[in-house]
Amino acid sequence: MPFIENHARLLHFLGAPFTPFYALGTSVRNKMYDSGRLPSTRFPFPVICVGNLCAGGSGKTPATEYLVRLLSPFFHVGVVSRGYGRATGHDFLAEEGMDASQIGDEPMQYLSKFGQGLPHGFSLYLAAGRAQGIARLKRLRPECDLVVLDDAFQHRAVRAGLDILLTEYDKPYFNDHLLPWGNLREGRRQAARARIIVVTKCPEDLGEPERRRFLAACRPLPHQQVYFSRIEYEKADFSKDIVLFTGIARPESLERHLRAQGFHVLRHFRFGDHHAYTRKDLQSVAEACRQASERKKEVTLLTTEKDRARLFRNPAMQALDGWPVNVLPIRMKFLFDEGGKFDRQILQFVESYEKFK
């Protein structure tokens, strides 16, 4: 919505004078970790950190899901997440039957996909403190072979064995600025901590010249491997006329995909990231569906996987008055045939630990 975008720009503008103070605070904090004055825990088993430098979505959920799918045929995979937006304040092991109000929307998505059926098992632990969360998960699930940290690049109390930094193709970290003037939670130089940089949400037709230009601007260090990826949508099997509602950071790519596939987005209700849906919100959505159905033979109500996870067991769903909620599942897909190379690098890291030799 233009209002949301203009409001965000205004906040960045008004907050600009405070950026030097934020920069000083983050710089001092990182120097204390670098010098050892602030402790950073390293665990005797593989820990993979997935995160970004910017505030907002860079594709962390699809990346985390990719790692779980890659590793679960061989290992019991644990995921430790903060669980943004959950009403529960304590740390705990997620269990079947919980909903997004208890564990957060992204963890709810992990639980619904991986909670059952993985060959070696799956565990999900909710913790504000990542180091404490990993230790508690291991005590509760000693069979857990490795841990994936969701959105934890800036949480340096854990020294992950492998840091994966995500950055969007259209909004790379090296063209951004620190909060509140820009969207960076840490300075650009902190990207040096990553061993892998994954460029997310690339155009499907990204060519070699564009790839080379991005790498020249990114200037990866010798120890860093850069991979390019895009969002792959599952094939849609519903009517062409769509009422869309989203509560994610940047839903533009979904709307572009739908239009490129010949769908007609009749109305897009665009809410803020991690939006807590109310009865009034969904009444407006249902009314748009009713109005559209009077003009069209068939209308599809569509949202994202993360939004559907947030609506699980939400009493506000009754306001939709029976309209079925459809989703278009997504996955991360690597470009330039780099998926195999990425997979090998991850598996080699995990197998390098003494336990797996």
Side-chain angles (χ1 to χ4, degrees), residues 56 93-94 108 139 146 222 256:
L93 189 70
M108 185 65 212
R139 284 199 298 270
L146 61 96
R256 284 196 300 268

Side-chain angles (χ1 to χ4, degrees), residues 176-281:
D176 207 342
H177 304 278
L178 276 171
L179 288 165
W181 173 241
N183 286 304
L184 295 184
R185 296 184 282 191
E186 296 183 279
R188 302 172 191 173
R189 292 183 179 178
Q190 296 305 315
R193 304 201 310 265
R195 200 187 313 176
I196 293 176
I197 298 174
V198 178
V199 187
T200 64
K201 303 181 183 180
C202 294
E204 187 173 349
D205 58 351
L206 184 71
E208 186 60 33
E210 291 80 13
R211 177 180 179 274
R212 288 198 296 267
R213 281 195 291 270
F214 191 99
L215 288 172
C218 179
R219 292 185 292 181
L221 297 172
H223 71 276
Q224 294 178 318
Q225 180 66 48
V226 182
Y227 298 93
F228 291 79
S229 71
R230 67 177 178 87
I231 294 296
E232 182 178 56
Y233 295 88
E234 286 191 11
K235 187 176 180 180
D237 186 22
F238 37 71
S239 65
K240 292 290 185 179
D241 298 304
I242 290 173
V243 172
L244 177 66
F245 69 99
T246 58
I248 58 176
R250 284 183 278 275
E252 297 87 356
S253 59
L254 171 58
E255 189 166 348
R256 284 196 300 268
H257 170 78
L258 291 169
R259 296 189 190 282
Q261 297 299 311
F263 291 94
H264 308 292
V265 181
L266 305 173
R267 185 81 182 271
H268 184 180
F269 291 85
R270 184 173 171 181
F271 300 96
D273 196 16
H274 300 283
H275 181 70
Y277 288 103
T278 65
R279 191 177 186 88
K280 185 177 179 180
D281 294 332

Side-chain angles (χ1 to χ4, degrees), residues 20-261:
F21 300 100
Y22 184 85
L24 177 62
T26 56
S27 176
V28 169
R29 174 180 176 273
N30 279 310
K31 286 180 179 178
M32 291 182 72
Y33 274 115
D34 292 338
S35 65
R37 293 181 182 179
L38 285 177
S40 187
T41 303
R42 184 153 196 171
F43 292 89
F45 50 85
V47 175
I48 302 173
C49 171
V50 177
N52 56 1
L53 286 177
C54 74
S58 294
K60 295 183 292 292
T61 303
T64 300
E65 291 181 357
Y66 185 100
L67 291 171
V68 174
R69 291 190 183 97
L70 171 65
L71 296 166
S72 59
F74 315 103
F75 310 108
H76 181 120
V77 180
V79 171
V80 174
S81 175
R82 172 189 173 189
Y84 184 87
R86 62 189 172 103
T88 49
H90 59 288
D91 300 349
F92 59 93
L93 189 70
E95 297 178 355
E96 290 293 326
M98 292 183 173
D99 59 37
S101 68
Q102 297 170 289
I103 65 176
D105 50 13
E106 287 147 347
M108 185 65 212
Q109 190 170 321
Y110 303 145
L111 189 63
S112 62
K113 288 185 175 182
F114 307 125
Q116 295 180 345
L118 294 187
H120 294 275
F122 171 78
S123 298
L124 174 62
Y125 196 84
L126 284 302
R130 304 308 201 276
Q132 189 178 53
I134 294 173
R136 287 180 175 174
L137 170 60
K138 190 65 176 176
R139 284 199 298 270
L140 293 170
R141 292 286 188 270
E143 69 273 21
C144 182
D145 294 311
L146 61 96
V147 169
V148 178
L149 287 176
D150 174 30
D151 191 15
F153 190 76
Q154 74 278 16
H155 291 271
R156 298 195 60 187
V158 174
R159 187 181 175 192
L162 178 64
D163 283 295
I164 300 176
L165 177 66
L166 309 181
T167 187
E168 288 187 71
Y169 178 79
D170 288 335
K171 298 180 180 180
Y173 69 86
F174 50 80
N175 285 343
D176 207 342
H177 304 278
L178 276 171
L179 288 165
W181 173 241
N183 286 304
L184 295 184
R185 296 184 282 191
E186 296 183 279
R188 302 172 191 173
R189 292 183 179 178
Q190 296 305 315
R193 304 201 310 265
R195 200 187 313 176
I196 293 176
I197 298 174
V198 178
V199 187
T200 64
K201 303 181 183 180
C202 294
E204 187 173 349
D205 58 351
L206 184 71
E208 186 60 33
E210 291 80 13
R211 177 180 179 274
R212 288 198 296 267
R213 281 195 291 270
F214 191 99
L215 288 172
C218 179
R219 292 185 292 181
L221 297 172
H223 71 276
Q224 294 178 318
Q225 180 66 48
V226 182
Y227 298 93
F228 291 79
S229 71
R230 67 177 178 87
I231 294 296
E232 182 178 56
Y233 295 88
E234 286 191 11
K235 187 176 180 180
D237 186 22
F238 37 71
S239 65
K240 292 290 185 179
D241 298 304
I242 290 173
V243 172
L244 177 66
F245 69 99
T246 58
I248 58 176
R250 284 183 278 275
E252 297 87 356
S253 59
L254 171 58
E255 189 166 348
R256 284 196 300 268
H257 170 78
L258 291 169
R259 296 189 190 282
Q261 297 299 311

